Structure formats: structure tokens, C-alpha cells
């Protein structure tokens, strides 16, 4: 809204033209989200405490976590409010990518809110059933993936419908433009055409998979939010590059018209995340809950698809990936050994992976900070793909 206002004022007052620069708007979006988070944080925590919206700790988790029982949860609402307001103030609301990212973010956030609400009201640590949660995630992911398949391929909104009709008239065999290819990092000209169905399937897996990966990682104070901030900030840099004709051409990336506006959302994510970390650092005053974790993961996945960096997201979000794999491997191995030997066996002391190290003797703060350091190195590796090609 402020972007449109200052654009209108710049027609008569030249000084307001500075707000058209996306880098300045990104800094203002980050600062706005940070201020909103820090200002409203104590009030949100106090309100959650009054409503007795406390975390119900799972009985099969580490014993050291039992003291966290009753800590206010659903603090992810604070993150979403900060991101939403900051985006509405500083982003170009006519940009087609802004709205699809907000749809996924708040759609997944709604799923998480219902899940958290059931945990709090019904005192059920499991919340929504896995099947119900996945079905809603799959639906939102499907809508977003179909739209992005043609939005990324088309240079403007006006070209979306003609492109879709052309695909249908071709007998569903029309190839997508090269900008929609899957980019392989560290190689100058290695990319793979996906086609409509391939692009949609990959997009769906990235969005839904990243959402659940962040959610599984959110098990210790501050563990998930800082990697999210770092990965999101790095994706903002990629968005700035692929959204400009000069930088994308120089660095051999596809030019995605409108993708640079994702920098505003990533900056808002960084500001909101850092504000939340102020209250979520050990010992946490509030947890983000599924309302925050599912939403932020979905947001990261959507932005990564728009800026054509799915594989780089996999690299930078290595902590999220390993945490998810640790759960999958643990469950599969337990079921396999139970079927074969009659008694289930475990590979890890406890899953997800952060609990494995906790049970092994690491302090919670050690696990968190070390995972942060690993994420920082992986993000730097991901950023290196900008030039090392």
C-alpha cells in the first residue's frame, strides 16, 4: 500500500521516487516486520498465557522437555502477522507471485492453527491426524503448483490463460519455456526440461515437503526459526538476481519477470523471524507451533520454485532435509525389524535427529547453535552457486 502511495506521490514530488528501489523497500520491510514482532511479542505472549494456550509436551519425548509443558504455543501467529502487514505495506501488490506466496503461507498457517487449536482445546498432543493434515496440505500445494507452472513460464499475467489454452490444444504435450527448466547448480548450462506435469509435480513436492521438513525440525528452542531466516534471506538474494535482466544474464540464470519482488517477502520473513527468535531463544517464552512451522516451510518452498532454485534449497536447507530423513529412516527401520524379528529396533536413540543428540548428552543449546552453524555453512555453499558455475 505504501509502495503505491509513494509511487503516486513521486509523480509530483521527485524525492518519493526513491521508494521504487526494491533494495530500499526490502530493508524497510525487514525493519517493519522486526518492529511489529518486537512490539507485539510481549502482548501476544501475555494473551496466549491468559487463554492458557500452552504446549502439551509429548510423553514419548525427552524427559528434559517435560518442564516446557504449558509454555505458550501458536506464537507463529506473531510471525505471520508481521510478514503479512510488512508485505502489504512495501510489496508491489500487482505482482502475481506475491499473492501465490501469501496464499501458500497463510493457507498452511491455517492448517497449523487448526492443528494447534486441537492440541490446546482437546489436550491432545497429536492434534490433527496425519492423514487430514496431509490432505489439506496436498490441496493447497496442488493449487499453487498448477498456477506456478504457467506463472513462471509466462512473462506476465495476461499471458497465463493463452499459455494454458495452447498447452491444452497441443494435446498436453507443449514444452515449457527454458526458464521453467530444473537448474543444476555449479554448472553453467546444465538444466533439464520438466514439462507441465513434471514442473507441477516437482513444485508440489517442494512446497509440501519443505513445509513438513521445517515442522519436524521445530523441536528445540530457536532451532527452526534461525535456519529459516538464513535460508529465506539467501533465497531473497536469488530472487533479486533472477528478477533483473542484467544480473540474470551476467550470472547465467533465467530471467523471471516479477521474481525480484520475492526479495520483499524474504526480507519480511527475516525481520519477523528475528523478532520471534528474541522470545523463542532458550529458555523459550513462546513456541511457534505448527501455525508457524508449516507456514514458513511452505513459504520457503514456494519462493524457491519461483526463483528456480529447488536444488539449492535442498542444499541450504540441509538441516531440514536430514531431520526429515532421520524420522523416515527411523520409522521404516522400526517397522521392518518389527515385522522380521517381532521386535522393533531403532537406528537413532530418538528421532528427529536433534533428539538423538540430546539423548546422547548434548545440551539443548549446543544442539541448536551447532545446527545453526551447519546451516550457515550450507547457505554460504548455496550462495556460492551464484558465481561458481
Amino acid at each position: 500500500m505504501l509502495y503505491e502511495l509513494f509511487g503516486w506521490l513521486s509523480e509530483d514530488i521527485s524525492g518519493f521516487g526513491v521508494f521504487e528501489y526494491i533494495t530500499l523497500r526490502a530493508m524497510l520491510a525487514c525493519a517493519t516486520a522486526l518492529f511489529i514482532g518486537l512490539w507485539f511479542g510481549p502482548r501476544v505472549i501475555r494473551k496466549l498465557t491468559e487463554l492458557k494456550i500452552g504446549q502439551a509436551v509429548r510423553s514419548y519425548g525427552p524427559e528434559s522437555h517435560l518442564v516446557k509443558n504449558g509454555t505458550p504455543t501458536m506464537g507463529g501467529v506473531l510471525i505471520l502477522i508481521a510478514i503479512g502487514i510488512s508485505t502489504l505495506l512495501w510489496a508491489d501488490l500487482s505482482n502475481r507471485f506475491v499473492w501465490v506466496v501469501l496464499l501458500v503461507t497463510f493457507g498452511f498457517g491455517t492448517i497449523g492453527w487448526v492443528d494447534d487449536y486441537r492440541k490446546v482445546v482437546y489436550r491432545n498432543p497429536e492434534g490433527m491426524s496425519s492423514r487430514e493434515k496431509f490432505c489439506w496440505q496436498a490441496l493447497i500445494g496442488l493449487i499453487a503448483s498448477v498456477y506456478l507452472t504457467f506463472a513462471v513460464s509466462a512473462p506476465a499475467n495476461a499471458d497465463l490463460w493463452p499459455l494454458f489454452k495452447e498447452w491444452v490444444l497441443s494435446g498436453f504435450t507443449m514444452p515449457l519455456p527454458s526458464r521453467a527448466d530444473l537448474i543444476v547448480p555449479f554448472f553453467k548450462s546444465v538444466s533439464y526440461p520438466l514439462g507441465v506435469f513434471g514442473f507441477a509435480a516437482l513444485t508440489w513436492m517442494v512446497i509440501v515437503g519443505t513445509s513438513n521438513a521445517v515442522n519436524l525440525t521445530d523441536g528445540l528452542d530457536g532451532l527452526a526459526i534461525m535456519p529459516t531466516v538464513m535460508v529465506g534471506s539467501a533465497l531473497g538474494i536469488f530472487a533479486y538476481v533472477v528478477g533483473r535482466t542484467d544480473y540474470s544474464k551476467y550470472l547465467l540464470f533465467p530471467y523471471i519477470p516479477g521474481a525480484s519482488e520475492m526479495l520483499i517477502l524474504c526480507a519480511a520473513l527475516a525481520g519477523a523471524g528475528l523478532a520471534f527468535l528474541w522470545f523463542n531463544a532458550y529458555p523459550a517464552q513462546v513456541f511457534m507451533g505448527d501455525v508457524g512451522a508449516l507456514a514458513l516451510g511452505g513459504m520457503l518452498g514456494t519462493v524457491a520454485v519461483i526463483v528456480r532454485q529447488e536444488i539449492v534449497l535442498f542444499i541450504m536447507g540441509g538441516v531440514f532435509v536430514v531431520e526429515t530423513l532421520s524420522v523416515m529412516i527411523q520409522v521404516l527401520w522400526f517397522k521392518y525389524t518389527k515385522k522380521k524379528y517381532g521386535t522393533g529396533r531403532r537406528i537413532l536413540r530418538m528421532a528427529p535427529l536433534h533428539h538423538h543428540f540430546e539423548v546422547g548428552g548434548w545440551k539443548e543449546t549446543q544442539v541448536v547453535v551447532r545446527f545453526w552453524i551447519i546451516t550457515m555453512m550450507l547457505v554460504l555453499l548455496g550462495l556460492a552457486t551464484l558465481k561458481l558455475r
Side-chain angles (χ1 to χ4, degrees):
M1 290 182 285
L2 290 179
Y3 171 71
E4 283 78 9
L5 174 62
F6 291 140
W8 175 71
L9 291 174
S10 65
E11 296 177 1
D12 300 312
I13 307 174
S14 59
F16 283 101
V18 69
F19 290 100
E20 295 182 5
Y21 289 98
I22 194 168
T23 48
L24 175 61
R25 289 191 287 121
M27 289 187 287
L28 292 172
C30 181
T32 301
L34 181 64
F35 173 78
I36 292 173
L38 292 176
W39 179 263
F40 287 102
R43 294 161 178 76
V44 170
I45 295 172
R46 188 161 51 247
K47 190 65 176 179
L48 291 173
T49 304
E50 292 174 358
L51 295 174
K52 297 182 179 179
I53 301 179
Q55 177 70 39
V57 178
R58 294 179 175 89
S59 58
Y60 51 81
E63 292 184 6
S64 59
H65 287 208
L66 295 177
V67 297
K68 300 182 180 184
N69 195 53
T71 301
T73 188
M74 298 180 71
V77 171
L78 177 64
I79 303 174
L80 295 183
I81 290 174
I83 291 176
I85 294 177
S86 184
T87 299
L88 293 176
L89 288 177
W90 298 110
D92 178 5
L93 300 182
S94 65
N95 185 286
R96 63 189 188 278
F97 294 127
V98 168
W99 290 106
V100 70
V101 173
L102 290 179
L103 168 67
V104 172
T105 304
F106 283 87
F108 277 69
T110 301
I111 297 172
W113 185 88
V114 173
D115 185 35
D116 289 333
Y117 182 80
R118 292 184 182 179
K119 291 176 184 177
V120 172
V121 173
Y122 300 111
R123 300 298 175 185
N124 177 11
E126 303 303 326
M128 293 175 68
S129 67
S130 299
R131 178 176 297 180
E132 182 183 5
K133 188 187 299 185
F134 178 76
C135 285
W136 284 110
Q137 287 178 307
L139 177 61
I140 296 174
L142 179 62
I143 295 172
S145 62
V146 172
Y147 176 80
L148 286 174
T149 299
F150 297 98
V152 170
S153 304
N157 274 335
D159 301 308
L160 285 174
W161 181 243
L163 184 64
F164 177 78
K165 288 195 297 183
E166 184 181 351
W167 174 64
V168 174
L169 293 174
S170 70
F172 308 107
T173 60
M174 181 194 76
L176 294 176
S178 58
R179 69 168 67 96
D181 292 353
L182 176 64
I183 299 174
V184 179
F186 298 111
F187 294 92
K188 286 185 178 181
S189 57
V190 179
S191 61
Y192 295 97
L194 298 170
V196 172
F197 292 109
F199 188 101
L202 177 64
T203 299
W204 184 89
M205 288 188 290
V206 170
I207 293 175
V208 176
T210 308
S211 175
N212 285 294
V214 174
N215 193 35
L216 287 172
T217 306
D218 183 35
L220 301 178
D221 299 351
L223 178 59
I225 190 61
M226 193 59 187
T228 300
V229 168
M230 289 190 281
V231 174
S233 299
L235 287 175
I237 296 175
F238 280 100
Y240 185 66
V241 170
V242 301
R244 289 180 57 113
T245 55
D246 49 356
Y247 289 170
S248 59
K249 182 179 180 180
Y250 173 71
L251 294 172
L252 303 177
F253 282 95
Y255 169 56
I256 312 294
S260 58
E261 205 65 25
M262 296 300 96
L263 176 60
I264 306 300
L265 284 92
C266 290
L269 166 62
L274 290 175
F276 181 77
L277 181 61
W278 184 273
F279 307 104
N280 186 236
Y282 182 86
Q285 298 173 256
V286 64
F287 300 138
M288 73 167 73
D290 285 12
V291 63
L294 291 178
L296 295 180
M299 182 177 182
L300 291 180
T302 308
V303 173
V305 169
I306 293 171
V307 301
R308 311 306 307 124
Q309 299 301 319
E310 297 93 342
I311 297 179
V312 171
L313 173 64
F314 186 86
I315 295 172
M316 297 191 299
V319 166
F320 301 139
V321 174
V322 172
E323 290 273 43
T324 304
L325 290 176
S326 70
V327 175
M328 295 173 62
I329 293 172
Q330 184 87 323
V331 172
L332 291 174
W333 181 252
F334 185 87
K335 289 183 177 179
Y336 170 75
T337 53
K338 186 174 183 179
K339 183 177 181 180
K340 185 173 182 178
Y341 303 109
T343 303
R345 301 176 183 177
R346 294 175 173 84
I347 296 177
L348 302 174
R349 300 183 184 95
M350 186 177 291
L353 186 62
H354 54 262
H355 289 326
H356 169 78
F357 290 113
E358 268 195 296
V359 176
W362 288 18
K363 294 181 179 179
E364 180 173 346
T365 50
Q366 287 179 308
V367 178
V368 171
V369 173
R370 287 169 180 172
F371 276 38
W372 287 359
I373 294 172
I374 292 171
T375 300
M376 187 178 299
M377 292 188 293
L378 292 175
V379 167
L380 292 175
L381 178 62
L383 289 174
T385 64
L386 284 167
K387 190 62 178 175
L388 299 179
R389 296 170 61 81

